[in-house]
Amino acid sequence: MPFEEIASESIADSRIARLDELNDDTPAAMPNVTGKHTKRCGTFTLSVARVDNHKIAFLGGGLDFFLHFRLELLHLTAVFPIVGIRNVRTGIVFGKRLVWHNAARLSDRRILGIKIRHAFETRPNKRHALSDASMIRVPLLDLSVQNGEIETELTEAFRRVIRSCCYIMGPELEKLEKDTAALCAVKHAIGVSSGTDAILLALMALDLKEGDEVLVPAFTFFATAGCVVRAGLTPVFVDIDPHTFNISLEDAAAKVSPRTRAIIPVHLFGQAADMDALGRFANQHNLSIVEDCAQAIGAKWRGNPVGSFGNFGAFSFFPSKNLGGFGDSGLLVTNDTALAERARILRVHGMSPKYYHPFIGGNFRMDPLQSALISVKLPHLESYNRRRTANASFYRKTLGGLPHVADNTADAPDDAVLLLPVDFSGEGIWNQFTLRVIGTGQRDSLRAHLNANGIGNDIYYPLSLDQQECFKNTVRGGDKTIRAAHKLGGEVISIPVFPDLSQTQLETVTSVIAEWLEKL
């Protein structure tokens, strides 16, 4: 692949390299190319060519690196037919090496923060591009594009907080609380130090007594039950519905006792639990509801945001969440003014007024730096969730037509090996795209195949909570009634669904899974 040689011109990594208009009058020694423009960026040559009325960028040089620059006057949607690969968004060449990158989403005809992901030798290949998917690495999560698109605003927010000299609570937190209260359709939002502390603070504010029982789904992240124990309460583990991944009210009803005081439904993987049924159940048994919305900000049930149904809703801003911060932080929401006031006091060591402590609380404050940075991302949440939903729809459509694949519903055929997650509410936000792989050893076989082909994945969760060492023989509910949660621990695997997946990456994931299915 010929490149025009231009004298090296050193530039700082942070400098933006701009490209002039493509010179369509200059022929280039490439098939189907009508014009080429080349500009030197440090020790790397950036060349742009027009191929079949599209524009495509190549990069000549030596090593994988992280390049911050802006391409203007380009729309990189071309094909690159030189090595028999089709349906590729952007090709980047290092000399004789072809590199595919995690392409940023194109907006305003620019691309910012291209990150080189993987390199491999160029060579003709007789197989279709989808069979070459092992050459493209797809991480389970990549925040570089998302944060890069708003880096200027994030930097300004950081500087604003530094200059304010207000580093504990204050106006940045108050603004975020106001905006998130509107998002969640609640009267009160209370910024806290983490999603875990949001659950703990909710249990403390409800003023439950030591030994009171709390119904907790057995299949969820550890913090849900850990907070119950830390609050001096007793978790009672409840099985889940294997299709929604949410708490089974049938099993919960069998485990209600005279000491049961609360229930914590978890909107797992961003899919809302049936809050109508949960509300009726809680009313019937006189239970408080603490919604664990850590993975579900923006999700709704029948048009109403999760977190707005129970006595409290607890959210997490952990970086991997749909609205991820830059460290630990969380949010507690409620429509109960008295509970909100109690929670605010408990958030600062149970102090009100200053240095007077009517309660024993904790240090659960959210700092203004996290507040300011998350406020920058908050207006983009709807877009993030919409793009996650589009990615999930692509997976469901593409994989759904393959043999041995079915929806994760009660009527799935017996010969189905791969069960696709279903958004039963129609208003989920796809924090994870979690597959069920049926059959002894099949999940681990698929995982090995994904790993071998560079596809990020993880298991949420390998053990149910009642199987964790710290809970064995110490709590109620961990018995033979927990069937679905135990089974799912050996079946589930989550694949990339983050907003900035490129079409090439999505096709790579599905093609790798298709290859595995072909071997069954």
Side-chain angles (χ1 to χ4, degrees):
M1 180 73 61
F3 282 89
E4 180 182 349
E5 288 295 326
I6 300 179
S8 175
E9 174 190 352
S10 296
I11 61 173
D13 288 344
S14 60
R15 175 175 171 178
I16 294 176
R18 296 180 179 274
L19 297 179
D20 298 326
E21 292 279 0
L22 292 175
N23 183 0
D24 292 337
D25 297 327
T26 303
M30 291 176 56
N32 303 321
V33 172
T34 58
K36 187 176 74 170
H37 177 81
T38 306
K39 187 174 182 66
R40 194 76 177 182
C41 301
T43 60
F44 301 93
T45 302
L46 181 63
S47 299
V48 181
R50 189 182 298 276
V51 183
D52 293 335
N53 295 320
H54 296 284
K55 300 170 187 176
I56 184 165
F58 306 96
L59 197 63
L63 301 173
D64 290 2
F65 70 109
F66 193 90
L67 176 65
H68 285 285
F69 66 108
R70 182 176 297 164
L71 297 178
E72 298 195 3
L73 307 171
L74 298 178
H75 189 61
L76 306 179
T77 58
V79 297
F80 180 36
I82 305 303
V83 292
I85 296 178
R86 295 179 291 167
N87 298 323
V88 174
R89 288 287 182 178
T90 308
I92 294 185
V93 173
F94 281 118
K96 295 182 179 180
R97 295 171 66 82
L98 178 64
V99 176
W100 306 113
H101 65 78
N102 177 21
R105 288 193 174 268
L106 299 168
S107 59
D108 300 327
R109 299 177 66 174
R110 71 188 184 208
I111 184 168
L112 178 62
I114 294 179
K115 186 173 184 179
I116 306 304
R117 303 301 305 175
H118 184 58
F120 57 90
E121 294 294 337
T122 61
R123 59 186 180 275
N125 197 316
K126 296 180 181 179
R127 301 177 65 191
H128 189 274
L130 294 183
S131 298
D132 263 341
S134 61
M135 297 180 179
I136 304 173
R137 295 189 181 275
V138 185
L140 182 62
L141 176 68
D142 186 349
L143 297 173
S144 60
V145 174
Q146 180 181 116
N147 292 337
E149 289 175 343
I150 53 174
E151 185 173 353
T152 300
E153 295 91 333
L154 291 170
T155 302
E156 176 54 37
F158 181 86
R159 290 172 176 165
R160 185 173 67 246
V161 173
I162 294 298
R163 293 165 182 163
S164 74
C165 295
C166 178
Y167 306 138
I168 300 294
M169 302 176 66
E172 297 285 359
L173 175 59
E174 291 169 5
K175 178 183 184 303
L176 179 65
E177 289 176 335
K178 179 181 178 181
D179 292 343
T180 50
L183 171 71
C184 297
V186 294
K187 295 178 181 178
H188 307 281
I190 303 162
V192 294
S193 41
S194 69
T196 299
D197 287 341
I199 299 172
L200 179 58
L201 181 57
L203 294 171
M204 292 172 66
L206 287 172
D207 197 26
L208 303 175
K209 308 302 181 184
E210 183 175 357
D212 283 350
E213 294 179 348
V214 181
L215 299 172
V216 177
F219 193 74
T220 184
F221 180 60
F222 178 83
T224 311
C227 290
V228 174
V229 176
R230 289 175 62 195
L233 309 172
T234 300
V236 176
F237 292 120
V238 179
D239 206 3
I240 63 164
D241 181 321
H243 311 299
T244 66
F245 301 123
N246 288 324
I247 194 167
S248 165
L249 292 182
E250 181 180 357
D251 191 45
K255 294 176 177 176
V256 171
S257 80
R259 302 192 67 178
T260 307
R261 294 289 182 269
I263 184 170
I264 305 181
V266 180
H267 305 292
L268 199 64
F269 306 143
Q271 309 305 321
D274 184 342
M275 292 310 299
D276 292 336
L278 273 156
R280 292 191 295 269
F281 179 85
N283 289 335
Q284 179 183 353
H285 298 286
N286 194 28
L287 305 179
S288 297
I289 298 176
V290 177
E291 295 179 65
D292 184 341
C293 313
Q295 300 178 10
I297 190 164
K300 296 180 179 180
W301 175 259
R302 297 190 185 278
N304 295 308
V306 298
S308 65
F309 294 90
N311 301 81
F312 281 111
F315 295 85
S316 171
F317 296 129
F318 189 78
S320 65
K321 300 302 189 288
N322 291 35
L323 182 60
F326 296 80
D328 274 317
S329 55
L331 189 75
L332 188 64
V333 303
T334 183
N335 280 309
D336 188 315
T337 299
L339 285 178
E341 180 60 25
R342 182 178 176 88
R344 288 192 179 98
I345 294 172
L346 291 170
R347 175 176 62 174
V348 288
H349 301 283
M351 181 173 62
S352 181
K354 190 174 183 179
Y355 302 134
Y356 290 81
H357 298 261
F359 311 113
I360 297 175
N363 180 4
F364 302 135
R365 299 172 300 210
M366 181 178 183
D367 67 73
L369 181 57
Q370 288 294 339
S371 304
L373 295 174
I374 293 169
S375 288
V376 172
K377 299 184 77 171
L378 181 58
H380 301 277
L381 175 62
E382 183 179 352
S383 172
Y384 298 158
N385 289 345
R386 185 171 60 251
R387 282 145 56 183
R388 283 177 177 267
T389 299
N391 294 341
S393 296
F394 176 85
Y395 284 150
R396 285 182 42 78
K397 180 179 179 181
T398 305
L399 295 173
L402 300 177
H404 308 296
V405 179
D407 285 343
N408 183 23
T409 59
D411 59 354
D414 293 338
D415 64 346
V417 176
L418 193 70
L419 299 182
L420 304 176
V422 177
D423 180 8
F424 290 93
S425 72
E427 299 176 283
I429 49 87
W430 297 100
N431 180 248
Q432 299 292 343
F433 192 89
T434 301
L435 306 165
R436 288 180 64 191
V437 191
I438 309 302
T440 303
Q442 295 285 42
R443 190 273 307 277
D444 294 338
S445 171
L446 174 58
R447 191 178 199 198
H449 184 72
L450 292 173
N451 288 339
N453 286 277
I455 307 301
N457 64 86
D458 213 334
I459 297 173
Y460 306 111
Y461 300 92
L463 294 177
S464 60
L465 293 180
D466 62 293
Q467 294 175 313
Q468 296 290 347
E469 185 66 31
C470 62
F471 290 135
K472 285 183 178 178
N473 304 317
T474 62
V475 295
R476 206 163 61 81
D479 52 31
K480 293 182 179 179
T481 64
I482 306 290
R483 297 187 181 92
H486 291 176
K487 186 177 182 181
L488 288 179
E491 294 179 346
V492 294
I493 185 167
S494 298
I495 59 176
V497 74
F498 62 93
D500 299 297
L501 285 165
S502 68
Q503 186 64 28
T504 298
Q505 289 176 315
L506 289 166
E507 291 170 358
T508 298
V509 174
T510 54
S511 65
V512 168
I513 294 174
E515 287 177 349
W516 179 80
L517 288 167
E518 288 175 359
K519 300 175 183 178
L520 295 178

